[in-house]
Amino acid sequence: MPRLYINLRLLEKNTKEVLSLCSKHNVELIGVTKVSLGDPQVAQCIRNAGVNIIGESRVENIKRMVKSGINRPFMMLRIPAISQLEEIVDLCDYILVSELKTVEAIEEICKNAGKSVNLIYMVDVGDLREGVWYKQAEEEICKAVKICKTSRIIGVGTNLGCYGGILPTNENMAKLVYIRDKIEQRTNTHLPIVSGGNTAALRLLEHSDLPEGVNQYRVGEAIMLGTDVTNNRKIDWLEQKTVVLEAEVIEMKTKPSVPEGQSGLDAFGRQPVFVDKGLRKRAILALGEQDTVPKHLKPLDKNAEVIHASSDHTIVDITEVQRQINVGDTMKFTLSYAALLRAMTCPHVEKIYRGE
Ligand SMILES: *Cc1c(COP(=O)(O)O)cnc(C)c1O
């Protein structure tokens, strides 16, 4: 079975570093566990590092954590499905929202149950994922503030760099603060939270370029992987070998680099591209698209290259690798966010914790 080595000590170290940067700029840090399938040990690391609120996108992941003794407070990051609202209100202290209909349903649940929950209304400042478009935000969020009597709108938030790949900047963050200020004036209500960022927005803190008023970040990728995929960078003050994937070599042969015969599509309907490099030494790993995103793996062996994969086989060109690799040996890789997400989710990948 492929193995995922999760280094808890390095995860805690990354969390502490991100927390320290956020604190320096008076930004509260929410630790996001969703890429780990709500792994309780990952959540514990985040808590050990001094972060209080755990951010999650799925009810099932929160239940998994609660079962293992990770307790509130939780923030629901994905705008909630109405069909799951009862559970979400029950489990979470903070919910990101973007629909008046959902806010009404939350208010109804809170009123009936006699409990309160904190809502952060999402504003779309350009990325085109969730949130009310910024030009209509003031109008819509003022209505939401009026709907909430038992529940409470505590602020506004935005998410960038996830769908449209739009980068967080001083300008789009400032829009969020401006909108908050306008709603406060119009409703005469205090909205203390401006939840501006994720991993992609850490750069603004590094360059002290975050506008005054943004005071909360929700961060997952930087903690888990030390990377920032939106800005296409390794975060050099964080650890990258937090999680390493290991797989076993099941075939080791020298073959041509271009297939022979009439060409169709591969097992996933893709048209593979081949470069003729002559005869190459290739390892086949007991690992595939079901376990991870093979193309997003970075071999720890220098000069090894993942060439292609199907559901259960990954082919790695190891012609230029120094060490001798035989059938039965293993190869190790670091992972992208997408590759980690799939590996954490796959029941056929064993999770091994290190540095406890
Ligand atoms: C996933 C998510 C985050 C965390 O994003 P990272 O890029 O992993 O830091 C923050 N906010 C929302 C709404 C999310 O869905």
Side-chain angles (χ1 to χ4, degrees), residues 32 34 57 77-78 96 122 129-130 159 162 197-200 218-222 337:
V32 175
K34 70 186 185 202
S57 55
L77 297 175
R78 182 167 69 182
L96 306 185
M122 295 301 276
R129 205 177 74 174
E130 75 273 46
N159 195 65
C162 276
N198 49 17
T199 293
R218 313 164 308 262
V219 176
E221 183 193 354
Y337 189 84

Side-chain angles (χ1 to χ4, degrees), residues 179-231:
I179 289 165
R180 188 275 306 270
D181 292 347
K182 296 288 264 191
I183 301 165
E184 278 193 332
Q185 286 163 19
R186 264 180 65 176
T187 59
N188 198 23
T189 314
H190 182 42
L191 304 180
I193 303 294
V194 179
S195 190
N198 49 17
T199 293
L202 287 174
R203 242 183 23 164
L204 295 178
L205 293 181
E206 290 165 61
H207 299 137
S208 298
D209 195 22
L210 188 71
E212 188 77 29
V214 178
N215 57 12
Q216 186 182 81
Y217 269 29
R218 313 164 308 262
V219 176
E221 183 193 354
I223 292 172
M224 289 297 296
L225 291 165
T227 54
D228 169 1
V229 63
T230 305
N231 287 291

